[in-house]
Amino acid sequence: MPSSLPSRLVQAPNSSLAGADDCRAAILTANDLAHESQRRELMADPGVHVVDTYSTQLDGLLRARNPRRKLTPAELAEAREQHLAGRSLETAGVWVYYPWRRSLVHLLNEAEFVELRTSRNRHKITHDEQRFLSQRRVGIIGLSVGAHVAMVLALERSCGELRLADFDVLELSNLNRLHEGVVSLGVKKTTLAARRIAEMDPFLRVSCFHEGLSEANLDDFFRRGGDLDLLVEECDDFALKVSCRERARELGIPVVMEANDRATLDIERFDRDPGRPILHGLLAGLDTRRVSELQSNEEKVPYLLPMVGEATMSNKLRASLLEIGESIEAWPQLASDVALGAGLVANVVRRIALDQLTDSGRYFVDLEELVQDAPRAVQEPGGPASKRPRRSREPAAAPLAEDAEAGQLWLDPRTLDALVEAALRAPSGANEQPWTWCVRGPNLWLVGRARFGESLLNYGDIATQLAVGAATENLVLRAHQLGFSVKLERNVEHAAVVGFRFFGGSERPRGAESHAYDALASAIEARHTNRRRTAGGTLASDALAALSAVAASVPRCKLQFVSDRPALAEVADVAARAERIRMLHPAGHDDMVREIRWTLEEAEATRDGIDLRTLDLSATELCGLKLLRSPGVPALLKRWRGGRGLEKLTKSSLLASSAVGLLTTSQQTAQGRVDAGRALERIWLSATELGISLQPHTAAVLLFARAFGGGARDFDAETLGELHGLHARLRAVFGASGGEVFLFRLFPGCEPLARSLRREAETDQPRTTEA
């Protein structure tokens, strides 16, 4: 048979696109001599597969037309002869040739074929409804999901014409959800969808836009051959999502979209409400005119996440989005979800066409919520990693002395407020401000108290003790600046409780605090945490030496620096991995969500925690952090052994450093850590005076303190092993032998994006008058 035969065959009536005969069948009728000649030529070709079940189809049609009783063989034969009216079986009906299969199939004519094929639709779709639907035109953009939608619409014959648009070809990774085989790899998705529809119903009109849609052909897609009655949008191109909706709104065409996560279904009835915003107004405040210019994920994410719905997506999708570019290339799709979505879209398209569904909105058909086990009594799961760390015991209230020493001053409330105000400017982990102030007689007491509850990074109150030490340093410096001498009251059993006795500046009672660093008081208000990731310049070696000397001024404290690139990279990797461990730990994740102030209103209301504005996050990083908020997300990432993307922020921050410092103390006791807190504040104030910015990165050292200081039960074996390795690596970089309390980065000073707020002092002030 000549190879040119398919191009000479008469095409199905839906054909209008040049070169599209590889996805459209040729319909041959017996009353057309040319067709009959071609049919005979095909049947004579041994390479053509012939399928002739016409007689069986005709019997099925006759039975469907007589549902009230079962026809006997004789009655069926008589009805068959009457229907043929003298024609032979071979010349009755039509013959359909499929060039891509080299197959010739004998079928009922169009009206009879449609009648029999849709007979099982009754009465879910009535005869009148079926006839009405046969005049509807539906466009589908995007055929990874849209191909399933097209097939279901075609199966139900919920339309009379389908317009399919997609530029892509079938790839191997598509075969987890598309009903195709490996022999079709590399074939256009439009071609494959049109072929499948033609093989199921060669009379259904299908138009293919094989190159996808653009400004050049968008109007043809919507209007050529008659305006679309409904658009199904399932494409990945965000700019096209916007432009096709804007055109649909102009033409008053409803749009339906299904995102297979939680079977999220969007209906936009632009036919009934032409003024409604596209995508339900989820893009309000964003400039949709720019979408065609967006290139990088950094630019697209602020548009995509509101559209998808960060607050309503499943935890699996949230976690998967965080793994894109790490363990997966693109977000996951399952065949079962795609099939469910296709059924939902086809149902909605039919009901919209029949005016049985009129509202716009976003809907969810979440099978994991709808079909699940009944609630059962749940026992607390075993294993330390599933629990929030607990205190071994709550500390008893510390006695607060009220006595006055010889020469001690009774400060007025205004002066006390000034001192406390300076102390409040001290740093604390997550800006917790874990302190309460009490006045007893002439004495001022600082009582450390973890306000955020037990934290993964506050084992044995280490973080609280450091914060108390920093606040103590500030108060002493401010008191000296105001002309007072200060003597501290220490409590062996309550290290996080510090008392202050005040004396005249000329008096130096035994045990009074040194005045060696009084000049640092002027930096108290200027000191801040700077989380900007500006490129780190070189810091003068004498500046680093000066800071080390400041640390050494506090007994048993030592500060070491690394500044060469390999060492910085090693520290960055250690700290980043530790941060990932913290965020994937149930308690650490709770801490993170609780500590961040997610809105300006929240930051101003609490005046504590980490103001989101201070974090120097890109749009993509901010979206990722928001995705991480749900507690189910870190659980999934840990189960998948994922989460490496969570390391990027810490790593990029440390790699932008000029130097990284590690503060250690050889006095590994609660009192030693209070003293270390004084040292770190003295270092920080000195850096501020030198014009050097500082950002803490304490997760690693505080995780080590818990894991190797008695809290190993709070980690699973795998995590504990990783922490052992990270601890050894950090010590190797700095040559440290223990007592790590504070890790931080330094870089040339610059203005931070925002500054953390502070609460007003909480002061318990029962006072007696001076005797």
Side-chain angles (χ1 to χ4, degrees):
M1 186 178 100
S3 61
S4 61
L5 180 59
S7 65
R8 294 189 287 109
L9 298 178
V10 176
Q11 301 299 315
N14 61 327
S15 298
S16 59
L17 297 179
D21 55 3
D22 63 340
C23 59
R24 291 174 296 185
I27 299 176
L28 310 176
T29 59
N31 59 359
D32 186 302
L33 294 179
H35 289 187
E36 181 62 13
S37 174
Q38 291 166 353
R39 178 185 71 81
R40 292 179 181 280
E41 188 177 355
L42 287 167
M43 294 186 72
D45 188 338
V48 173
H49 176 60
V50 178
V51 178
D52 188 355
T53 63
Y54 180 84
S55 179
T56 302
Q57 297 168 42
L58 180 56
D59 288 352
L61 176 67
L62 296 173
R63 285 194 295 267
R65 288 177 173 178
N66 293 274
R68 293 179 179 173
R69 66 186 182 89
K70 185 176 182 179
L71 298 177
T72 66
E75 290 172 329
L76 189 59
E78 181 181 357
R80 187 187 308 123
E81 290 299 320
Q82 290 177 356
H83 184 86
L84 290 172
R87 292 172 298 171
S88 67
L89 283 173
E90 185 175 345
T91 57
V94 298
W95 289 82
V96 181
Y97 180 63
Y98 296 94
W100 57 91
R101 284 193 177 273
R102 290 187 57 78
S103 295
L104 184 66
V105 184
H106 195 184
L107 297 175
L108 298 170
N109 66 39
E110 180 175 358
E112 295 168 347
F113 177 92
V114 172
E115 179 185 351
L116 179 58
R117 196 176 77 75
T118 61
S119 62
R120 296 295 293 274
N121 287 355
R122 310 293 177 266
H123 288 286
K124 289 196 169 184
I125 302 175
T126 68
H127 180 75
D128 288 342
E129 288 172 341
Q130 197 82 66
R131 187 168 55 247
F132 179 81
L133 291 171
S134 70
Q135 303 305 311
R136 308 279 71 80
R137 305 180 188 92
V138 176
I140 301 178
I141 305 175
L143 295 183
S144 285
V145 174
H148 287 262
V149 175
M151 281 303 301
V152 178
L153 289 172
L155 283 166
E156 292 183 357
R157 253 191 173 260
S158 293
C159 60
E161 179 185 350
L162 282 166
R163 296 179 193 167
L164 310 178
D166 198 315
F167 68 91
D168 211 354
V169 299
L170 183 71
E171 298 179 357
L172 187 57
S173 61
N174 299 140
L175 296 186
N176 77 318
R177 59 194 184 279
L178 289 183
H179 294 293
E180 299 295 346
V182 293
V183 295
S184 298
L185 292 175
V187 180
K188 288 277 190 180
K189 290 178 180 177
T190 43
T191 296
L192 294 172
R195 285 178 178 179
R196 287 177 62 81
I197 293 170
E199 290 176 10
M200 179 264 297
D201 188 337
F203 304 105
L204 191 64
R205 298 187 302 280
V206 178
S207 299
C208 293
F209 287 70
H210 296 289
E211 303 307 318
L213 296 182
S214 65
E215 288 298 322
N217 65 357
L218 189 62
D219 208 55
D220 278 352
F221 180 78
F222 274 97
R223 312 208 69 175
R224 191 173 68 188
D227 283 2
L228 289 176
D229 294 290
L230 191 141
L231 174 66
V232 176
E233 186 278 295
E234 297 290 349
C235 70
D236 296 329
D237 186 328
F238 185 70
L240 183 56
K241 284 180 180 291
V242 172
S243 62
C244 74
R245 278 174 172 77
E246 290 175 339
R247 188 63 175 128
R249 183 169 58 183
E250 291 171 7
L251 296 173
I253 297 171
V255 178
V256 177
M257 177 180 74
E258 194 274 341
N260 57 54
D261 179 64
R262 301 188 64 213
T264 305
L265 185 69
D266 286 302
I267 303 173
E268 297 170 88
R269 295 301 303 268
F270 297 123
D271 54 328
R272 302 180 68 87
D273 183 6
R276 70 176 289 106
I278 65 171
L279 288 163
H280 318 297
L282 294 171
L283 302 182
L286 297 172
D287 186 0
T288 57
R289 295 170 300 179
R290 289 193 59 247
V291 293
S292 61
E293 304 168 9
L294 306 179
Q295 299 295 326
S296 67
N297 287 336
E298 183 71 25
E299 295 172 311
K300 294 177 182 178
V301 164
Y303 290 80
L304 288 172
L305 204 59
M307 182 194 72
V308 175
E310 181 269 326
T312 56
M313 68 178 64
S314 70
N315 282 333
K316 282 187 177 178
L317 180 57
R318 290 188 182 102
S320 296
L321 290 175
L322 291 171
E323 284 297 291
I324 292 177
E326 296 294 332
S327 61
I328 56 176
E329 181 184 7
W331 67 15
Q333 295 175 296
L334 292 177
S336 55
D337 294 334
V338 171
L340 172 64
L344 293 173
V345 171
N347 174 283
V348 166
V349 167
R350 182 182 71 249
R351 291 162 61 200
I352 289 174
L354 296 174
D355 203 26
Q356 297 170 352
L357 181 64
T358 59
D359 287 350
S360 296
R362 171 165 285 186
Y363 306 87
F364 302 92
V365 187
D366 190 340
L367 286 184
E368 294 189 16
E369 286 186 1
L370 296 172
V371 184
Q372 59 178 312
D373 291 333
R376 295 180 174 85
V378 179
Q379 294 182 343
E380 187 172 297
S386 63
K387 303 176 183 177
R388 169 163 283 283
R390 299 186 178 91
R391 293 176 181 272
S392 57
R393 63 182 177 85
E394 287 294 327
L400 306 180
E402 300 185 24
D403 63 299
E405 293 185 358
Q408 184 174 348
L409 301 178
W410 291 65
L411 302 185
D412 61 86
R414 187 171 181 178
T415 302
L416 286 174
D417 288 344
L419 295 174
V420 171
E421 180 63 30
L424 292 178
R425 302 298 303 173
S428 56
N431 191 30
E432 182 182 15
Q433 304 168 54
W435 37 60
T436 299
W437 302 89
C438 302
V439 179
R440 296 293 185 268
N443 305 320
L444 176 64
W445 289 92
L446 165 55
V447 180
R449 183 173 298 162
R451 299 181 54 85
F452 292 169
E454 178 66 357
S455 165
L456 185 68
L457 300 186
N458 193 23
Y459 183 69
D461 288 326
I462 292 175
T464 300
Q465 292 154 10
L466 291 171
V468 166
T472 298
E473 180 69 13
N474 273 8
L475 195 143
V476 169
L477 291 173
R478 181 52 44 88
H480 288 174
Q481 187 182 47
L482 294 177
F484 303 110
S485 291
V486 183
K487 181 179 178 181
L488 301 184
E489 287 285 328
R490 304 297 185 102
N491 189 308
V492 176
E493 294 185 3
H494 301 277
V497 176
V498 179
F500 302 85
R501 297 179 184 271
F502 303 99
F503 301 86
S506 60
E507 299 184 37
R508 297 293 175 92
R510 185 175 180 181
E513 291 298 299
S514 168
H515 288 254
Y517 287 90
D518 286 358
L520 294 178
S522 61
I524 289 175
E525 280 71 29
R527 186 213 62 81
H528 59 270
T529 297
N530 195 335
R531 298 184 176 92
R532 298 190 72 160
R533 286 174 285 169
T534 54
T538 302
L539 297 178
S541 58
D542 57 347
L544 298 181
L547 295 178
S548 295
V550 167
S553 69
V554 177
R556 294 173 289 279
C557 287
K558 180 180 180 181
L559 177 60
Q560 297 166 272
F561 287 105
V562 294
S563 57
D564 60 283
R565 289 294 108 186
L568 289 176
E570 178 72 351
V571 174
D573 191 59
V574 168
R577 289 171 182 262
E579 188 63 37
R580 166 182 45 82
I581 289 172
R582 179 181 79 96
M583 287 193 281
L584 295 188
H585 191 287
H589 175 266
D590 288 350
D591 295 339
M592 180 202 74
V593 174
R594 184 181 64 245
E595 293 163 358
I596 291 177
R597 300 296 171 253
W598 297 91
T599 64
L600 176 59
E601 293 74 19
E602 186 182 8
E604 292 178 340
T606 63
R607 303 190 70 82
D608 61 14
I610 299 175
D611 188 336
L612 198 60
R613 298 173 302 161
T614 68
L615 295 182
D616 192 16
L617 299 176
S618 67
T620 300
E621 290 164 341
L622 176 58
C623 290
L625 192 62
K626 290 181 177 179
L627 289 173
L628 191 63
R629 281 186 289 187
S630 173
V633 173
L636 287 169
L637 291 174
K638 185 169 179 61
R639 193 176 83 194
W640 300 340
R641 287 181 166 78
R644 295 301 295 270
L646 305 180
E647 301 173 7
K648 291 181 178 178
L649 184 60
T650 297
K651 186 173 289 187
S652 64
S653 174
L654 285 162
L655 288 176
S657 306
S658 301
V660 174
L662 178 66
L663 177 65
T664 60
T665 175
S666 59
Q667 185 182 358
Q668 298 181 41
T669 63
Q671 189 57 63
R673 288 186 287 270
V674 171
D675 290 342
R678 296 193 66 181
L680 78 85
E681 178 67 342
R682 202 170 287 178
I683 294 164
W684 208 326
L685 294 171
S686 299
T688 302
E689 285 208 322
L690 292 169
I692 299 174
S693 290
L694 186 152
Q695 179 187 1
H697 282 279
T698 56
V701 295
L702 295 177
L703 284 176
F704 300 155
R706 178 177 289 277
F708 312 127
R713 67 185 182 281
D714 295 322
F715 303 95
D716 59 60
E718 183 177 358
T719 301
L720 202 58
E722 185 174 8
L723 287 172
H724 270 291
L726 295 176
H727 196 199
R729 289 172 61 188
L730 186 69
R731 287 186 170 186
V733 172
F734 285 98
S737 58
E740 304 92 349
V741 291
F742 194 62
L743 183 72
F744 59 94
R745 63 181 282 248
L746 295 177
F747 55 100
C750 61
E751 187 63 23
L753 295 172
R755 300 196 183 209
S756 298
L757 302 177
R758 292 291 191 273
R759 294 191 306 272
E760 292 184 2
E762 296 181 6
T763 308
D764 174 19
Q765 298 194 43
R767 298 187 56 157
T768 59
T769 58
E770 183 176 1

